[in-house]
Amino acid sequence: MFSNMMKKFRHTSIISKVTLWYTLFTSILFFIMFVVSFTVSGSWVDYLNRNELEQKTMEIASDISEFDEFDDGIYFILYNEQKEIEKGFLPKGFDQVIPFETEILSTYVTDQAKFYYIDVYNAEKQKWVRGIRVASGFNKEIGLLVLSLAVVTPVSILIMAVGGRRILKRAFLPIEEVTQLAEEITESRDYAQRVSSTYAQTNSETSRLVTVFNKMLLSVQSSFEKEKQFNQNVSHELRTPLSVILAESEFGEKYAETIAEQKESFAVINRQAKVMKNMTEQILELSKARQARETDFVNLSLSDLVSYYCKEQEKKWSDLAITFDISIAPDMMIFGDKILLLRVLDNLVSNAIKFTKTRVSISVKDFQDMAVLEVADDGIGIPVDHQEKIWDRFYQIDVARNKSVHPGVGLGLSFVKDIVTLHRAEVEIVSTKGEGSIFSVVFRKAE
Ligand code: ADP
């Protein structure tokens, strides 16, 4: 039975649990307070009553001219020397023949009532005065207090329980909304939905939850859309070389009459296959870069890394009609991933080689607490209105201006941006159309 109740209790809502808890607790508290105050006030009133009885009877006995038969709940009876009543009357139930004792407050108990009484003798007037009071333990005020407590207590507990429950329900409303929305999104996959912003404006604990939840939805939505866009771009970009390959292979198979024509078709197929290879490689690199984590980073010398890269490329570069200026500040330590940083460098240098006219400069500079990697060329430059967009995936300024010479797919710089962001660094461009471009990657030096 008890374990059943506990099971049920465990499954009730937090709101009900909290409401039940404080209602029960305050009811017990009120009850204890009620009983204690009832007892304490009863005995206190009793004490006051006896005191008053004593005092007033003494006063009246000392000045019999002031005799009053009933005053403030006390019966006064005046007796002569022979203990016969001269004035006053006994309260109902009080025995007439109780013997007299001088100035001792006594108690007389019957089935119906309890009395306090005291006898005081006035020797001068030879009279007895007996004061009697019914020992109710209560007076009117206490009765009223008890009555009002008995009414007020349940009413206030009820108001508290109902009011508290309403406040709790309101406070939990955003959580309910968040849960409902999460369920809806799981079904519909519509990440554009948000929890009502009015909840976020209140200054309560749940407003943070709503703000964070909405922010999380925004980031999920944006990565979802980016992913969608990326997939669309990939299939679109792959479709172009694929359709060229299909058309050329069909032509080579069915219509090419001479070996020269077939060779021409193979050359086209080969070029397009290279484009596809290039693209798939870059896509793979992109997803690898995305999986890279900061926890794999180490302290490394950017200076050594760039020197190593330049040495490796020396042979390849010597075949080009381009001058390479290399200037490397020593011991520039940064926190990062060697392979990823080499990819950044390679992408920037490849672009510079692709677009330069006469020279490419590669440098590592020491700038206060920053280490700056700079790759510059004196090529065609990047128009200002394209400088923001070149970081987007598959973005190419003008396909015609490079693809014919060096096929690219527009992924290199987005790759650079991802890696730079992962390194908490910044990448900047200074470029003038027709004069050349400078790409600078600004790293914070390792401590
Ligand atoms: P791609 O693989 O086509 O080179 P990137 O993402 O590396 O793709 O570059 C995006 C575009 O930015 C390129 O299409 C090119 O037009 C432009 N770009 C990149 N680097 C340079 C540069 N050094 N000089 C001029 N244009 C550049």
Side-chain angles (χ1 to χ4, degrees):
M1 166 89 172
F2 181 71
S3 68
N4 260 0
M5 263 172 64
M6 281 313 283
K7 237 187 213 169
K8 267 193 186 161
F9 184 68
R10 241 176 257 143
H11 287 107
T12 48
S13 69
I14 297 176
I15 299 175
S16 306
K17 274 183 198 161
V18 175
T19 315
L20 196 72
W21 164 249
Y22 68 72
T23 310
L24 208 74
F25 187 74
T26 28
S27 304
I28 293 171
L29 199 74
F30 265 115
F31 180 74
I32 293 171
M33 275 167 56
F34 190 72
V35 170
V36 169
S37 57
F38 192 76
T39 319
V40 170
S41 59
S43 31
W44 178 242
V45 166
D46 210 42
Y47 169 75
L48 289 179
N49 281 349
R50 281 183 300 167
N51 246 6
E52 196 182 24
L53 173 67
E54 222 167 14
Q55 262 180 24
K56 286 207 165 161
T57 316
M58 295 276 198
E59 272 168 29
I60 285 191
S62 61
D63 183 6
I64 289 181
S65 63
E66 288 288 303
F67 185 85
D68 201 351
E69 293 170 355
F70 188 79
D71 182 22
D72 214 4
I74 305 173
Y75 298 82
F76 295 105
I77 302 105
L78 188 68
Y79 293 85
N80 59 21
E81 192 74 14
Q82 288 73 44
K83 315 269 174 54
E84 291 159 351
I85 295 176
E86 282 192 357
K87 267 186 191 172
F89 53 92
L90 291 164
K92 213 174 137 215
F94 193 86
D95 197 343
Q96 172 100 287
V97 294
I98 292 171
F100 281 68
E101 276 179 282
T102 321
E103 294 177 21
I104 295 173
L105 192 107
S106 317
T107 311
Y108 172 64
V109 187
T110 69
D111 291 347
Q112 281 93 39
K114 179 181 171 189
F115 302 92
Y116 294 122
Y117 69 97
I118 185 165
D119 306 318
V120 182
Y121 184 63
N122 184 330
E124 193 190 322
K125 299 264 165 71
Q126 296 179 336
K127 305 270 186 214
W128 284 91
V129 174
R130 173 167 271 183
I132 309 169
R133 165 162 241 170
V134 181
S136 68
F138 278 119
N139 61 14
K140 223 166 62 193
E141 286 77 16
I142 291 283
L144 243 139
L145 182 76
V146 169
L147 187 75
S148 57
L149 266 179
V151 175
V152 167
T153 306
V155 172
S156 37
I157 290 178
L158 193 76
I159 292 172
M160 189 185 61
V162 173
R165 200 182 154 80
R166 280 193 66 176
I167 293 172
L168 275 173
K169 262 199 151 175
R170 274 183 164 217
F172 273 81
L173 223 55
I175 296 180
E176 185 119 358
E177 279 254 337
V178 167
T179 318
Q180 256 180 27
L181 195 70
E183 277 168 0
E184 259 176 58
I185 290 174
T186 315
E187 283 218 344
S188 67
R189 288 178 158 254
D190 175 10
Y191 296 102
Q193 300 189 70
R194 298 285 178 275
V195 181
S196 164
S197 57
T198 44
Y199 294 126
Q201 280 148 19
T202 60
N203 216 5
S204 67
E205 295 83 339
T206 42
S207 69
R208 239 187 97 200
L209 170 79
V210 172
T211 315
V212 172
F213 187 73
N214 280 345
K215 263 194 196 157
M216 186 197 72
L217 281 181
L218 186 70
S219 88
V220 171
Q221 185 191 7
S222 97
S223 36
F224 188 69
E225 269 160 17
K226 268 190 197 158
E227 206 61 48
K228 216 162 90 183
Q229 187 65 41
F230 180 69
N231 290 341
Q232 276 171 4
N233 288 342
V234 168
S235 36
H236 178 261
E237 290 295 316
L238 284 175
R239 210 177 292 147
T240 318
L242 259 179
S243 50
V244 175
I245 288 173
L246 274 174
E248 278 299 329
S249 55
E250 203 177 325
F251 174 81
E253 187 194 26
K254 289 188 185 156
Y255 311 108
E257 285 166 0
T258 61
I259 298 249
E261 272 180 352
Q262 281 178 354
K263 270 195 170 178
E264 175 64 36
S265 290
F266 277 131
V268 173
I269 290 169
N270 187 269
R271 263 205 312 278
Q272 294 304 321
K274 271 186 189 150
V275 171
M276 285 176 70
K277 181 174 169 270
N278 195 359
M279 195 189 301
T280 40
E281 268 171 13
Q282 295 219 36
I283 291 168
L284 272 177
E285 272 184 6
L286 260 181
S287 67
K288 252 194 253 164
R290 274 204 210 152
Q291 277 162 19
R293 281 167 309 159
E294 222 178 311
T295 44
D296 302 327
F297 286 9
V298 289
N299 275 351
L300 55 90
S301 160
L302 184 65
S303 319
D304 292 353
L305 191 87
V306 178
S307 303
Y308 161 81
Y309 173 78
C310 294
K311 251 208 161 61
E312 286 279 298
Q313 304 293 316
E314 235 168 38
K315 214 162 184 294
K316 196 169 121 192
W317 289 347
S318 63
D319 298 338
L320 305 171
I322 297 170
T323 313
F324 284 86
D325 299 327
I326 295 158
S327 125
I328 299 170
D331 303 325
M332 290 293 104
M333 297 301 292
I334 62 165
F335 188 60
D337 182 292
K338 198 174 160 187
I339 307 286
L340 292 179
L341 289 170
L342 280 174
R343 301 305 309 134
V344 168
L345 188 56
D346 192 49
N347 269 297
L348 294 179
V349 174
S350 306
N351 277 347
I353 294 174
K354 237 194 270 182
F355 296 105
T356 195
K357 282 184 208 135
T358 61
R359 55 177 61 240
V360 168
S361 28
I362 303 167
S363 53
V364 174
K365 293 180 178 166
D366 184 353
F367 186 74
Q368 291 165 1
D369 54 346
M370 306 290 178
V372 184
L373 166 68
E374 228 174 67
V375 178
D377 64 76
D378 63 349
I380 55 174
I382 301 165
V384 181
D385 52 329
H386 289 280
Q387 287 183 9
E388 284 268 304
K389 298 180 198 149
I390 53 169
W391 308 105
D392 295 346
R393 282 184 191 138
F394 297 105
Y395 189 82
Q396 290 180 301
I397 295 177
D398 174 8
V399 180
R401 77 180 192 155
N402 70 51
K403 228 173 204 172
S404 51
V405 195
H406 307 278
V409 288
L411 283 175
L413 287 182
S414 74
F415 185 42
V416 167
K417 181 88 181 174
D418 279 359
I419 298 175
V420 167
T421 310
L422 194 68
H423 282 76
R424 296 171 195 242
E426 300 275 342
V427 59
E428 293 158 9
I429 320 174
V430 178
S431 182
T432 317
K433 203 176 163 196
E435 285 180 21
S437 320
I438 307 170
F439 283 79
S440 315
V441 187
V442 186
F443 296 94
R444 191 168 285 277
K445 280 186 202 163
E447 276 131 31

